Amino acid sequence: MTDSVKLNAAGKDLDLKVLSGSVGPDVIDIRKLYAQTGMFTYDPGFTSTASCDSAITYIDGDEGVLLHRGYPIGQLAEKSSFMEVCHLLLNGELPTKDELDKFSYTISRHTMLHEQLATFYRGFRRDAHPMAIMCGVVGALSAFYQDSADITDPQQRMIASHRLIAKMPTIAAMAYKYSIGQPFMSPKNNLSYTGNFLQMTFGVPAEEYVVNPVVEKAMDRIFILHADHEQNASTSTVRLAGSSGANPFACIAAGIACLWGPAHGGANEAALNMLREIGTVDRIPEYIARAKDKNDPFRLMGFGHRVYKNYDPRATVMQQTVREVLGELGVTDPVFDVAIALEEMALSDPYFIEKKLFPNVDFYSGVILSAIGFPTTMFTALFALARTVGWVAQWNEMISDPEQKIGRPRQLYTGPTQRDFVPLADRK
Ligand code: ACO
């Protein structure tokens, strides 16, 4: 390990400090680079740039490791509940039994939405994408919960965080109910966080909804697998929005907007649509050939990851969960056979081996969610629901950092240099 690296720039010798985390690559501290040399670094897409320090989540992409506060994702997915993981991410430690009861109780007391918020839904077209509704309704929470908007008060920050975690299932379930023309279902606090979400989504007032424990467990696991993923695009968006002092509801709405894209949270929807389009195993080679063709923009959705270059540990858990859910529900979905065969063929293809492209968490999640009964348009909304805890944990961490500054990247300008204004009549 070195303490500093030498850089010769603009005719000057600089000693740049090297900082070490608890695990993972060291980073070169370039904060004084501009002041000392008049130069910026250039790193579009942040492929070599650490934007902050964080004690929440650690990923080793080469080894396929994902740790939340030190705990491996596989152990959390197998042995804990989403509420425990929420407590862990937000507060730094797994809860004791008493702490978990208290935390779950607190969350359950915030699940209802202000009645006037329900009227927002009626303003959306019936065929609105749930993510469009989520962006709008979550942003609108700022107007309803102004009592938790003082971001300098840790207590208010925690109340806003609890509110967001608690209300997301209600908001997502209402977006679904609205799209199919069924009445909104009120939360039921005697159910688990995940059971309540299933009840609000699939229950109807005319019948008592009975939560299937296998589906509840699978859903809870999907929430755990999506809870946080360090400084990905949507989390960085939340941090950047929050760095200006914006209120937490607006920041999370910004994160939802970023997550919507098909290269990020929209990938599970795109992956299932792709598997359905492929339809049968014999058509897979045609799609693999298209994915490899430089002149075709088609990519295998659910494959590849910016950070994981070996395998995505979440995909392994997801693959096991698919089998459990399909078995329990007695669903025989040909899409699952296509998924298994596609994974096999792609993983033995030199193009995918060479580029280190493996199935990511989204490759199988769509198959499970579809078997449970969610339409593809809801997939990203479920991701947003689960990721909310990661977003608020990262936002809280940033705001409580005394050295926190507004995020302001620089650029390499390639436009015209200064020129004089030409009046309209003289322009050619
Ligand atoms: N299918 C075919 N080729 C691919 C794929 C894919 N899914 N992913 C990457 N490649 C190829 C690229 O064409 C590129 O080839 P080249 O070097 O010949 O130009 C090379 O692999 C590297 O790709 P990049 O786009 O530079 O890699 P990056 O790390 O920027 O992208 C990303 C990662 C966006 C996830 C990409 O793999 C992708 O688009 N995958 C499909 C979408 C997807 O599944 N997203 C979900 C991500 S997980 C999540 O958000 C929870």
Side-chain angles (χ1 to χ4, degrees):
M1 195 188 69
T2 42
D3 293 337
S4 67
V5 294
K6 294 204 183 310
L7 177 76
N8 180 276
K12 286 186 191 153
D13 283 325
L14 295 183
D15 263 337
L16 297 172
K17 227 159 90 183
V18 171
L19 308 176
S20 300
S22 44
V23 59
D26 292 342
V27 299
I28 303 168
D29 183 348
I30 55 152
R31 280 175 289 185
K32 299 215 161 66
L33 186 71
Y34 179 65
Q36 292 179 345
T37 65
M39 284 193 219
F40 299 130
T41 54
Y42 179 63
D43 185 18
F46 304 109
T47 52
S48 293
T49 298
S51 60
C52 61
D53 48 79
S54 177
I56 301 175
T57 292
Y58 173 73
I59 299 175
D60 181 334
D62 295 325
E63 296 299 323
V65 170
L66 167 60
L67 309 176
H68 291 318
R69 305 280 192 189
Y71 296 103
I73 189 66
Q75 291 183 22
L76 292 172
E78 195 191 332
K79 298 178 180 164
S80 76
S81 66
F82 183 60
M83 277 297 96
E84 287 174 79
V85 172
C86 286
H87 186 284
L88 174 69
L89 289 170
L90 261 187
N91 303 308
E93 293 299 336
L94 282 168
T96 61
K97 170 84 177 73
D98 281 354
E99 284 167 344
L100 179 61
D101 289 347
K102 195 163 165 244
F103 182 73
S104 304
Y105 177 83
T106 306
I107 296 297
S108 73
R109 296 292 126 174
H110 286 296
T111 48
M112 279 168 47
L113 280 193
H114 193 289
E115 198 51 30
Q116 269 176 288
L117 261 173
T119 59
F120 265 63
Y121 285 75
R122 310 205 190 287
F124 286 98
R125 280 172 59 126
R126 173 61 32 91
D127 60 355
H129 195 288
M131 287 298 275
I133 299 183
M134 302 276 280
C135 288
V137 173
V138 172
L141 292 176
S142 334
F144 288 86
Y145 301 102
Q146 296 178 35
D147 58 324
S148 59
D150 178 1
I151 63 161
T152 60
D153 176 355
Q155 177 69 14
Q156 291 194 40
R157 286 206 302 273
M158 205 37 90
I159 294 171
S161 304
H162 291 161
R163 280 184 166 144
L164 278 156
I165 295 167
K167 292 183 199 305
M168 282 303 252
T170 317
I171 293 171
M174 284 169 71
Y176 173 65
K177 286 296 194 197
Y178 183 71
S179 72
I180 56 168
Q182 286 187 1
F184 298 144
M185 296 291 287
S186 296
K188 280 197 174 155
N189 290 347
N190 59 331
L191 297 175
S192 70
Y193 180 87
T194 304
N196 181 42
F197 172 63
L198 291 169
Q199 178 272 137
M200 288 190 290
T201 307
F202 297 118
V204 285
E207 282 173 19
E208 189 57 30
Y209 180 78
V210 181
V211 180
N212 177 326
V214 174
V215 172
E216 183 183 22
K217 177 89 197 126
M219 200 70 229
D220 205 69
R221 203 178 271 168
I222 290 178
F223 289 162
I224 293 173
L225 295 179
H226 288 89
D228 191 47
H229 214 226
E230 55 120 303
Q231 310 312 319
N232 57 84
S234 57
T235 302
S236 298
T237 302
V238 170
R239 279 189 179 254
L240 198 54
S243 77
S244 72
N247 77 70
F249 305 105
C251 296
I252 301 306
I256 294 172
C258 178
L259 186 76
W260 195 353
H264 192 7
N268 52 12
E269 183 177 343
L272 189 72
N273 288 339
M274 178 194 73
L275 292 172
R276 289 210 193 291
E277 190 187 309
I278 297 175
T280 49
V281 172
D282 58 303
R283 296 187 55 195
I284 294 174
E286 180 196 326
Y287 283 82
I288 291 194
R290 282 187 61 197
K292 289 158 56 174
D293 182 355
K294 279 241 162 278
N295 301 316
D296 188 332
F298 174 77
R299 284 186 170 201
L300 281 190
M301 299 313 288
F303 261 78
H305 197 275
R306 169 56 66 78
V307 179
Y308 295 120
K309 299 298 176 195
N310 181 340
Y311 68 94
D312 180 342
R314 302 166 302 170
T316 318
V317 182
M318 207 57 103
Q319 202 200 40
Q320 289 160 7
T321 311
V322 182
R323 289 181 203 283
E324 282 169 27
V325 171
L326 295 189
E328 167 66 18
L329 299 178
V331 175
T332 45
D333 191 339
V335 141
F336 184 53
D337 300 331
V338 174
I340 295 277
L342 176 60
E343 176 177 359
E344 233 171 71
M345 284 188 216
L347 292 188
S348 55
D349 189 297
Y351 173 91
F352 291 88
I353 296 171
E354 194 191 305
K355 293 191 187 301
K356 301 189 171 175
L357 298 169
F358 293 82
N360 58 50
V361 66
D362 290 326
F363 188 64
Y364 285 108
S365 62
V367 180
I368 305 179
L369 296 174
S370 166
I372 294 176
F374 290 101
T376 45
T377 50
M378 276 298 287
F379 292 0
T380 321
L382 301 177
F383 190 160
L385 183 173
R387 183 55 58 84
T388 296
V389 63
W391 289 331
V392 292
Q394 301 267 353
W395 169 79
N396 264 299
E397 182 182 67
M398 180 190 71
I399 302 288
S400 30
D401 179 353
E403 288 189 32
Q404 188 257 321
K405 281 184 167 35
I406 186 167
R408 176 59 170 90
R410 305 303 293 249
Q411 64 171 9
L412 175 66
Y413 176 69
T414 58
T417 52
Q418 185 170 326
R419 47 186 171 165
D420 287 328
F421 179 82
V422 181
L424 187 56
D426 300 341
R427 281 178 226 157
K428 301 197 176 79

